[in-house]
Amino acid sequence: MPIPRIPAWQLTLAGGAAAVLVLHLVGGDHAWLIMQAAGTAILFRAARRHRCGWWLFFAASAAGTATSLWWSIRGGEPAITPMGLSLALQYTLHAAAAVQFTRRRKPGGAAEAGAVVLAVAMLAWSFVVLPYLGQPGYRLVDDALAAFYALLDLAILATVLRTAADSRRVPGILVAGAGSMLLGAHLLYAATSAEGTRPFLSGGGPHLLIQLWWVLIVAASVHPRAAQPLATDLAPGRSTLAVMYTVAVAGPLLPAVAAPSAVVVVPAVLTAALCGLLLLRIVVLARLAERRARQAREALQEQQVLQRRLAYRAGHDSLTGLANRDLLLDHLGRAVAGDRPYALILCALDGFKEINDTYGHHVGDTVLRQVAGRLLLFAPEVELVARLGGDEFGFLVTSGTDAGELADRVVTAVSAAPYAVDERRIPLTARAGLADGTPGNDAVLGDADLALRAAKQAGGARTARFDESLRAEQSERARIAAGLRQALADGTLFMHYQPVVDTGTGRATGVEALMRWRRDGELVPPGVFIPVAEQTGLIGAIGARALRLACAQAAAWHREHGLYLTVNVSTHQLRDPGFTATVLETLADTGLPAAALVLEITESVLIDAADTPVLGELRAHGIRIAIDDFGTGYSSLAYLHALPVDILKIDQSFIRRHQDPPRAQDVSLTRAILELARGQDLLAVAEGVETAGQAQLLRDLGCPLVQGYHFGRPADADTIDTLMREYAFHAPV
Ligand code: C2E
Ligand code: MG
Ligand code: MG
């Protein structure tokens, strides 16, 4: 069974009191001295740890010990005056310490204490000072010393009353007890009408009380709350009030009780009434002050609640209730400044803009709220889930969770099931990028952003982790963007053309314009610079330049050879409301008829484009639309009949499968696509035809148009021009 731990102050109190009592009975000067010295040492420790009051108690103890030492060396019974003088020091220092110890900083505190002291003065004058002066033991003590002792008694009495009335702090009670011991020693001496100084030496009653003073003071000094002796209420408590009233009212009446004559009674009653009223006034003021303080506290609390609410609003997204970007940055800043590893996951929804555009913001908002609900399920594993704006969310991971695995789970959770809004069920997928942060690395947000972009670009994987190569790619992209801006000015962007061949006649019926960019003497593939142009918004200007160059060139070919021109356009261009006007203006300027122009849109972007009215406008002007790279994107066959298109370009990956001899399942797949195109009344073009075998197969399958290295590589306008003029472009079979 565990032994309960007894607090040091209780041990000191019990042990000290027992030792004092035993010594009192047994006697022994040296033992007293050792105890006093030990007490003084403990008080020295307390004085160093706590505050000024404890230095004074230490000094009182040291003075008392020095006195005992002095009288024990001298031996015999000391004379009254020197004894009185030597004790006065300990007594004075205790009074000073107790006053300091019980001092409370509060309004009206001094007046309150003053009222008590004055009332007590009346009591003390009647019962302490007058009897002292009349005592035979004091016959030899001069009046000054007696009066000084009386004052000290008064001060000590005031501190005893004050601390005793506040019974909530043990050290205060112990100090009050110690003060009572000193007072008791004096009163006992006076009450017993003792003569000489013997009672102040070992074995005497006052001596015993003075030793108990040591025990109580030392016990108070080792109490854990020795530094805060009193509670700090503003208004006096009930017990304090009772003591104060009794003393203030009864004190002035005492002389009247002792000598009941009209000369004494009338002023005594008036003084008592005055004291009572003054005290009442003080108490009312204190209560008022306390009420004001309480009101101020309540107002402060309300303000704090309001502040907390405002801070919550400032740190949270009003739509989803998730933390917002500011709060995430705030937490991120702390993680960066900390010393633990952390990770940031950014998660973006695929195609959310289309949901907003198609169904309206009401539906978009509902979907976002539902997404937030799913993301919040991960809150216990992360420090913060935030919405950074739009369709982008962030997770700050500081708990040591495997961030890569968490990012995968987040992405899976977002796309696990469609979102039900009204009667609709809307499917959604997401991508995530994550960056590991080390303390001091404040680029982690940018890193996670790069990783997210990488995840968006890489078709397959849906989460990407940041590594240094991404930063290199980022600076390469910045270099390309700067180069493209320059290219728009210096004409290093130009067009190559690849023939589109009719399988029936073997002749070129059209040309596809493919953009080329020569940077520092080397050709940069469109697969590299077109995505950068799209990301930076440069595609608008670059696409318009390509269209103009191609139309200007193809106008002549159309006039002479009846060729049509097919030009690739980006989804970004289609979203520009002025795009139709740009195309029509270009046609008008270059003289190419609308019927001779085909605009190619990559299949994967068609879902976006399907919602835009631009395709309908263009077709209304006679321009045809082709789906490029059919079969690579995610638009299902079900969309096909709804799309405003005329031509279907089968992606090269289907054609590349046809090696010699062709496999039956590849052939049937191509045949199925061709039948689908015929069924939808679409003109089919097979891309990437590289061999005679592939060309033959496509002819056999009834594919009307073909394009590929087998018929002609993309080449500059002059080369195509020469081919058309000299051979009327008859493609090899
Ligand atoms: P795309 O529109 O599908 O163009 C066909 C790509 O296949 C061209 O690559 C062409 O050179 C290549 N090609 C043609 N025949 C064969 C073949 O038999 N075998 C193989 N392996 N490849 C063949 P290129 O010129 O590198 O263009 C790549 C993509 O860049 C284009 O694919 C198109 O999506 C885009 N692009 C090109 N020019 C423009 C443009 O002016 N504007 C826009 N927005 N995109 C363009
Ligand atoms: Mg194309
Ligand atoms: Mg293509």
Side-chain angles (χ1 to χ4, degrees):
M1 211 176 90
I3 304 165
R5 237 185 117 240
I6 304 169
W9 71 272
Q10 287 180 11
L11 276 179
T12 311
L13 191 63
V20 165
L21 288 175
V22 169
L23 276 182
H24 181 69
L25 297 173
V26 186
D29 269 7
H30 291 106
W32 285 126
L33 275 172
I34 290 168
M35 274 196 62
Q36 291 172 4
T40 309
I42 295 173
L43 286 168
F44 178 70
R45 216 176 122 250
R48 288 187 53 184
R49 282 178 53 195
H50 307 312
R51 45 177 216 167
C52 151
W54 286 106
W55 279 113
L56 291 168
F57 280 131
F58 159 71
S61 172
T65 310
T67 305
S68 302
L69 183 65
W70 169 254
W71 292 121
S72 99
I73 292 169
R74 287 284 302 272
E77 186 181 333
I80 283 186
T81 308
M83 178 55 129
L85 283 170
S86 61
L87 275 177
L89 189 56
Q90 183 181 3
Y91 211 80
T92 310
L93 286 167
H94 170 91
V99 167
Q100 171 70 26
F101 196 69
T102 57
R103 207 163 47 124
R104 279 196 235 177
R105 294 173 205 286
K106 66 173 188 178
E112 189 186 306
V116 174
V117 169
L118 284 176
V120 168
M122 193 76 87
L123 194 71
W125 182 256
S126 308
F127 291 99
V128 181
V129 181
L130 291 178
Y132 277 2
L133 296 177
Q135 283 307 309
Y138 279 82
R139 269 194 301 272
L140 299 175
V141 181
D142 58 74
D143 289 351
L145 190 57
F148 183 59
Y149 262 102
L151 276 176
L152 287 180
D153 279 340
L154 212 58
I156 292 175
L157 183 61
T159 65
V160 167
L161 287 173
R162 191 165 175 73
T163 36
D166 183 352
S167 54
R168 277 165 290 177
R169 289 279 197 271
V170 174
I173 296 168
L174 294 174
V175 169
S180 309
M181 293 301 131
L182 288 186
L183 280 177
H186 244 166
L187 286 174
L188 185 65
Y189 179 69
T192 52
S193 310
E195 289 192 26
T197 56
R198 178 133 294 283
F200 289 97
L201 299 180
S202 179
H207 180 270
L208 174 69
L209 294 176
I210 291 175
Q211 304 315 310
L212 288 174
W213 172 87
W214 254 288
V215 174
L216 287 160
I217 283 294
V218 172
S221 81
V222 296
H223 193 279
R225 283 198 180 156
Q228 320 141 2
L230 297 182
T232 51
D233 288 359
L234 223 47
R238 271 175 207 284
S239 47
T240 317
L241 266 184
V243 174
M244 279 164 63
Y245 267 114
T246 314
V247 170
V249 178
L253 292 175
L254 285 172
V257 177
S261 71
V263 184
V264 180
V265 171
V266 174
V269 169
L270 290 175
T271 312
L274 185 66
C275 283
L277 285 174
L278 277 176
L279 203 57
L280 189 68
R281 176 98 184 107
I282 291 171
V283 171
V284 168
L285 281 177
R287 292 258 184 270
L288 193 72
E290 196 172 61
R291 196 182 317 142
R292 293 248 168 89
R294 197 173 49 242
Q295 284 167 350
R297 258 200 314 273
E298 282 167 8
L300 194 72
Q301 272 166 2
E302 263 172 38
Q303 204 181 338
Q304 281 167 347
V305 169
L306 191 69
Q307 246 166 11
R308 269 200 296 274
R309 269 198 210 143
L310 287 175
Y312 181 86
R313 284 175 70 98
H316 288 80
D317 169 47
S318 56
L319 178 69
T320 60
L322 297 179
N324 63 14
R325 188 186 187 87
D326 288 349
L327 194 60
L328 182 82
L329 291 180
D330 192 46
H331 280 244
L332 192 61
R334 268 184 261 158
V336 170
D339 53 6
R340 286 198 333 214
Y342 57 93
L344 181 67
I345 300 173
L346 295 185
C347 171
L349 309 177
D350 295 326
F352 175 74
K353 188 183 175 304
E354 282 65 49
I355 292 177
N356 245 349
D357 291 349
T358 312
Y359 305 114
H361 285 272
H362 155 69
V363 173
D365 286 355
T366 312
V367 168
L368 278 180
R369 271 196 289 265
Q370 291 184 20
V371 169
R374 292 191 196 179
L375 298 185
L376 264 180
L377 296 177
F378 297 93
E381 299 177 62
V382 301
E383 182 172 322
L384 205 69
V385 187
R387 179 181 172 214
L388 298 180
D391 61 358
E392 209 170 292
F393 299 87
F395 296 78
L396 178 60
V397 187
T398 51
S399 56
T401 310
D402 179 347
E405 186 259 347
L406 180 70
D408 287 340
R409 280 192 286 132
V410 167
V411 164
T412 309
V414 170
S415 38
Y419 294 80
V421 186
D422 303 331
E423 296 301 292
R424 299 185 186 88
R425 293 178 66 74
I426 302 168
L428 205 58
T429 55
R431 310 260 154 194
L434 87 111
D436 297 301
T438 43
N441 171 15
D442 55 4
V444 70
L445 184 62
D447 293 351
D449 204 44
L450 280 180
L452 178 62
R453 264 198 248 171
K456 281 181 179 169
Q457 278 158 19
R462 294 195 295 167
T463 55
R465 189 184 277 267
F466 172 81
D467 63 54
E468 285 304 324
S469 67
L470 291 182
R471 200 171 283 149
E473 281 171 26
Q474 155 83 350
S475 54
E476 173 62 6
R477 269 200 298 275
R479 213 166 73 89
I480 289 172
L484 284 177
R485 274 190 201 93
Q486 180 65 27
L488 273 171
D490 66 15
T492 47
L493 283 171
F494 56 97
M495 305 309 285
H496 273 183
Y497 302 89
Q498 185 179 33
V500 180
V501 174
D502 184 329
T503 48
T505 62
R507 296 174 72 104
T509 60
V511 283
E512 177 173 1
L514 294 160
M515 203 181 327
R516 297 289 177 258
W517 176 35
R518 186 168 280 120
R519 181 180 65 175
D520 302 332
E522 279 190 29
L523 280 178
V524 181
V528 171
F529 71 82
I530 296 281
V532 177
E534 287 174 343
Q535 285 158 20
T536 50
L538 284 167
I539 192 70
I542 288 175
R545 167 72 58 85
L547 186 70
R548 183 162 288 273
L549 287 174
C551 288
Q553 181 57 57
W557 288 335
H558 176 71
R559 271 195 306 276
E560 289 171 33
H561 312 289
L563 287 185
Y564 75 86
L565 168 73
T566 176
V567 180
N568 296 283
V569 291
S570 239
T571 172
H572 297 74
Q573 290 170 273
L574 291 179
R575 284 191 194 136
D576 174 6
F579 181 65
T580 309
T582 308
V583 174
L584 295 178
E585 197 182 301
T586 309
L587 289 177
D589 290 351
T590 56
L592 182 74
L597 179 65
V598 175
L599 295 179
E600 295 188 12
I601 304 149
T602 303
E603 186 209 13
S604 59
V605 306
L606 267 175
I607 294 177
D608 311 349
D611 298 320
T612 66
V614 177
L615 293 183
E617 282 173 27
L618 292 165
R619 288 180 89 222
H621 284 92
I623 297 160
R624 285 175 296 165
I625 306 294
I627 307 179
D628 204 354
D629 304 342
F630 181 80
T632 55
Y634 52 81
S635 79
S636 75
L637 299 178
Y639 277 92
L640 210 53
H641 73 277
L643 290 172
V645 294
D646 308 273
I647 298 169
L648 187 151
K649 296 188 80 173
I650 305 168
D651 189 64
Q652 357 183 318
S653 56
F654 291 95
I655 311 306
R656 207 173 298 134
R657 289 158 174 259
H658 300 301
Q659 303 299 335
D660 279 338
R663 291 189 305 170
Q665 70 264 40
D666 295 335
V667 174
S668 63
L669 187 61
T670 308
R671 184 184 287 122
I673 297 176
L674 286 168
E675 274 167 18
L676 179 84
R678 262 194 295 273
Q680 296 295 328
D681 217 9
L682 299 175
L683 192 59
V685 183
E687 288 189 284
V689 182
E690 292 186 349
T691 66
Q694 290 165 344
Q696 184 58 49
L697 180 72
L698 288 161
R699 231 186 338 262
D700 293 348
L701 290 173
C703 179
L705 296 171
V706 284
Q707 189 181 345
Y709 293 170
H710 176 68
F711 302 103
R713 288 179 177 259
D716 61 30
D718 287 346
T719 310
I720 299 290
D721 210 37
T722 311
L723 281 173
M724 292 305 296
R725 276 179 201 290
E726 293 181 4
Y727 312 106
F729 195 83
H730 201 281
V733 180

